[in-house]
Structure formats: structure tokens, C-alpha cells
Amino acid sequence: MEVRALPFNSEVPGDLLLLLSEEELKDYPWPKASLKELFEAQGFTAKLGETASCVYLPEGAEKTVKVVAAGLGKGEKLTLEEVRRALGAGLKEADRLKSEVLTVLPWQNAQLPAGQAARAITEAYFLAAYRFNRYLKEQRECSVRTLQVGYLPEQEVEVIAALKVGQTLGEATNLARDLVNEPANVLTPERLAQEAQRAGEKYGFAVEVLGEEEIEKLGMEAFLAVGRASANGPRLIIMRHLGDPANPEQVLGLVGKGLTFDSGGLSLKQAKGMETMKFDMAGAAAVIGAMGALAREKVRVNVVAVVAACENLISGKGFRPGDIIGSRAGKSILVETTDAEGRLTLADAVHYMVSAEKASVVVDVATLTGAVIVALGNLTTGVLTNDQSLFERLQRASQQSGERVWQLPSFPEYREQNKTPYADLRNVGGREAGTITAGLFIGEFVEDTPWLHLDIAGTAFREKDGDYLQKGATGVGVRLLYHFAETYL
Ligand code: BES
Ligand code: MN
Ligand code: ZN
């Protein structure tokens, strides 16, 4: 996969991808006059997701040219997400035609600046061409190996800069997808830590990995309880990108849930669907990917990311329902079910983030509850916060990345559900408002630090192909966290 910028003249440089809106269809500057008729004859109306294509042999040429048109829908108030979706649909058609080098014509739509569009196009290309095929004997890649993004002379500077950011975001998201798609027999906590180290070397951020003894010294009793049953020991992964050394007191803390597998423990999950629980480290993958993108783009913000990586299994060493365990914050927790393990690991991780790393803002990302899928489906990440201005920043980031977010209420009365007479907290808040009480449990460990909680249980993995994200891991959170960090510039 490769993207390059192409200064565009009127000569047709090979296979073409035209992204155009319904309004533009009439007076589009077709690179060849007869194309308009060819597409119209196929009934192409440029609706979002709609594509049409043709193959022709230019006069005197030896090689055919393939042209794909992909609709952007209504051109007014065009969004970046619509550009990504159109690109994804167009790429699918180009792949079907076995096109290898594909050129997108220069951006002409005044609704979006050319730089923004070029970033979305590049991002979407990397995301749409991604395949998780490393375990297949016959690997079928997307046929399009090179995407050329055409630009007009006056667009040169912005388009070239946009291609670089788009590629970084696309690759960092695909890194997260690789980690999530990797099965749990391969991706143990130790291996996840190694992958974080590799990403640190490749993208340029610092990584520190702590083993069981050191985690014990940090007093992370709740985290250790969750991982105790597995033969694959826990790891605490700490990643640092200090992009703004002049302001060391401003630190954005990212925390990702890192259960490399969640069987439920003694409160065992049912067999059906348990295999998807390899994805229970998607929050960790999101923060690793985001660190990569922030470091490669040298974003001038201090960011520390922490992952408490472990595996929730069953053995004679494991914790049990009814156990009362400690935590780094000194609060005791009654374990009512061993399947509500994520909040236990995150409680210690966010407390470490505010107490040891002195983060001034904390964002945790976690595949935390099935309840968020019931509430919001697979389209939208559920969010809780103790600081409304943070959610507003997140909404701005969401407009950049297209990853949808929706805030759930965090009225103090909900906290009552996490109480028990036998310990300071219990790890389940009952059946009602399951996503809210799970999030607020983590909130008990951030002290007064401004905090956002992102429940990505519905959005981290998809069962069906989408416009530009295939079935499997989505890498949700990477681009969102990157743009969130940018709001601190
Ligand atoms: N990793 C799961 C959350 C999850 C469940 C994600 C289903 C995707 C699909 C989490 O550890 C969990 O098991 N949560 C429980 C909490 C309950 C026991 C309070 C859940 O949501 O069922
Ligand atoms: Mn669980
Ligand atoms: Zn879990």
C-alpha cells in the first residue's frame, strides 16, 4: 500500500477514480468527454456509496484504462466521513476490476478544502485496503497497490502535508486492527507488551514494561487479582510521548483496557460468542495506535499511555466471586462476578495514571460492557465524563475522525449502585444502567482529575463489511484520540 501526490495535467495517467457529488454530475470536468454518457447510461446518479465503472482502450494505446466513479451524495455540507465512505466504495469496485495503480482526480468540491479531502482519501485508502490475512496460505490483497492523489498547482502544499498525516493515521489504525485481530494464543500479555515496544521503536515513543513483581510493588492488587489464574503473566505497559517539554505539568493520560482474553473467569461466559473475547484488548490497541500516530507526527502535547495487560482465565490460583480484594487506591472491592474484570484492571491503571504519572487529563478506552451494545449498537461509542468541556473536545475530534460518540448521563445517584455493605465498592452495579455504573466505577479512582470514559464494546469489532472497514477489528479510537490530543495544541 502506497499513496503519492500527483501534479495533475489534462493527460489521463491510467486508471481513474472520480469522487463526485450529485450536483457535480452535470458539469463535472470529465477527463474524457464520452465518460459522462457512459456513466449516465448506467444510471449512475452519484448517491453516497453508489459506483459505476467502465473500461476503454484509448486511441492508439496498448493498455486499457479503467475508470471508476463513486458518488459522494448531496454535495452541500459534505463531510469527511462521506469522502471516506465514497473512497471505500470506489476502491471495492477498482479491486473488482483488478486495477493496480489508481489516480484520484484533483479535488474540486468547494465544500471541503483540498487538504482535508486528501487526508480523508488517504486514510480511507489504507483502511479500506487492509486485510488480516497472515494466517492464510493464499493471501488475497487489495489489487490497488498505489493510490495517486491528483492535485492542482495551488493545492500542492496542503495536499502533500495531508497525505503524510492521512498515511500515519491509516497505518496506526491498521496496527491497532492487527493487534485486535490477532488470536489470544498468540497475543498474550507478554506479546502485547513486545508489540508496544516494537511500535515504540517504529513510530518514536518510549516504552517501559513492568512484570508481576514490579506491579505488586505498585500496589495494583485489583489488576493482579484478575490476571492471577492465567499461566501467561500480567504486564504493565507504559508509553510516553513528551511532545511539549516546556509544559511538563500538562499531561494527557490514555488508559486502554488490555484483556488479551476474557473467558469471564469462574463466572464463566457462555460458549457462544466467547471466541470474540480475544478483542477485549481493543482499548489497549487504540492507545498504542494513537501513541504511534502522535509520535510520528511529533504532535506538541505530552501524552502518557498505560495498559494493564492480563488474561481472565480459570485455575486454582484465580480469584472467586465473593472475594474482597484491595486496590492501588486503597479501596476494598467486593468481587460479585469475575466477569466484570475490566473495571478492576482499569481502576488500578487510572489510579496509577493520576498518582504516579500525574496526568492532568485522563481518557480511558475499554471494551467494557455488553450493555453499551444494547444501548447504542455497533455504530456509536458510549461516553461518560466528569467534565463537560472534555466531552466537547471529544465531539470536535469525532467530527475530524468520523468515529461517532454519544454521552451517557453520570448523575451521582448512579454511584449508589456500586455500593455494598461489605466493602468500599462492589464490581457490579446491577442489571440497570450497566454501562453507566461500569464507567462510574472507574471514575471512583481518578480523584478530581478531568476524565473521559469511552466504552468501545460495540464499535471495536464488526460482524459485517462496511464501506471502508471490513469485518473484524475497526481500530476505533486511534484517530479519535489523535484528534482529541490535537485539541490541546
Ligand atoms: N469484555 C466484556 C464486555 C463485553 C461483553 C464486550 C460482550 C462485548 C460483548 C466485559 O468484561 C464483561 O464481561 N462485562 C460484563 C459485565 C457484567 C458481568 C456486569 C457484561 O457486559 O456482561
Ligand atoms: Mn468480562
Ligand atoms: Zn472483559
Side-chain angles (χ1 to χ4, degrees), residues 257 262 269 277 279-280 339 341 343 367-370 428 457:
K257 175 173 172 180
D262 177 16
K269 287 184 180 296
M277 284 301 136
F279 99 132
D280 215 16
D339 197 13
E341 84 299 333
R343 67 197 77 182
T367 48
L368 202 64
T369 64
V428 265

Side-chain angles (χ1 to χ4, degrees), residues 89-136:
L91 194 74
K92 229 177 255 175
E93 180 64 8
D95 185 35
R96 197 181 67 80
L97 297 173
K98 305 247 178 329
S99 175
E100 287 168 14
V101 179
L102 188 66
T103 302
V104 183
L105 293 194
W107 189 256
Q108 311 259 24
N109 192 314
Q111 295 293 320
L112 279 177
Q116 295 236 10
R119 196 197 82 211
I121 287 168
T122 308
E123 231 174 86
Y125 167 66
F126 279 96
L127 299 178
Y130 170 86
R131 306 282 184 271
F132 184 71
N133 54 14
R134 72 168 57 135
Y135 293 102
L136 297 178

Side-chain angles (χ1 to χ4, degrees), residues 342-452:
R343 67 197 77 182
L344 299 173
T345 64
L346 289 162
D348 277 348
V350 299
H351 185 266
Y352 170 85
M353 191 53 105
V354 298
S355 61
E357 299 290 336
K358 308 272 184 259
S360 47
V361 172
V362 174
V363 184
D364 79 78
V365 190
T367 48
L368 202 64
T369 64
V372 80
I373 310 175
V374 178
L376 302 176
N378 293 105
L379 207 63
T380 309
T381 293
V383 182
L384 276 101
T385 187
N386 61 4
D387 183 329
Q388 208 54 34
S389 73
L390 285 194
F391 183 68
E392 283 156 18
R393 282 176 190 272
L394 190 73
Q395 282 181 305
R396 274 189 274 148
S398 162
Q399 274 164 11
Q400 289 295 314
S401 79
E403 296 158 281
R404 290 179 167 113
V405 295
W406 202 262
Q407 187 180 4
L408 300 174
S410 53
F411 301 118
E413 288 85 343
Y414 287 114
R415 294 173 60 196
E416 300 302 317
Q417 287 178 236
N418 288 328
K419 290 193 174 153
T420 166
Y422 309 112
D424 296 325
L425 288 164
R426 60 176 187 149
N427 77 331
V428 265
R431 224 178 63 84
E432 294 164 11
T435 301
I436 297 171
T437 56
L440 291 180
F441 181 94
I442 299 165
E444 300 287 348
F445 295 84
V446 296
E447 294 171 348
D448 296 326
T449 314
W451 157 76
L452 274 176

Side-chain angles (χ1 to χ4, degrees), residues 276-308:
T276 62
M277 284 301 136
K278 69 170 185 176
F279 99 132
D280 215 16
M281 37 57 71
V287 307
I288 294 168
M291 288 302 284
L294 289 163
R296 175 169 295 168
E297 294 305 314
K298 300 196 166 53
V299 176
R300 290 180 59 130
V301 179
N302 300 319
V303 191
V304 176
V306 165
V307 171

Side-chain angles (χ1 to χ4, degrees), residues 175-176 178-180 182-200 205 207-209 223 232-239 256-261 278-289 306-311:
L175 162 66
D178 271 342
L179 294 173
V180 175
E182 200 64 58
N185 60 324
V186 176
L187 200 88
T188 58
E190 180 187 13
R191 179 69 185 272
L192 180 61
Q194 287 166 353
E195 294 297 327
Q197 270 160 335
R198 267 183 43 177
F205 59 87
V207 184
E208 198 183 323
V209 176
F223 168 31
N232 302 310
R235 294 290 185 277
L236 186 71
I237 310 168
I238 305 152
M239 294 160 271
K257 175 173 172 180
L259 267 288
T260 58
F261 189 73
K278 69 170 185 176
F279 99 132
D280 215 16
M281 37 57 71
V287 307
I288 294 168
V306 165
V307 171
C310 67
E311 189 175 29

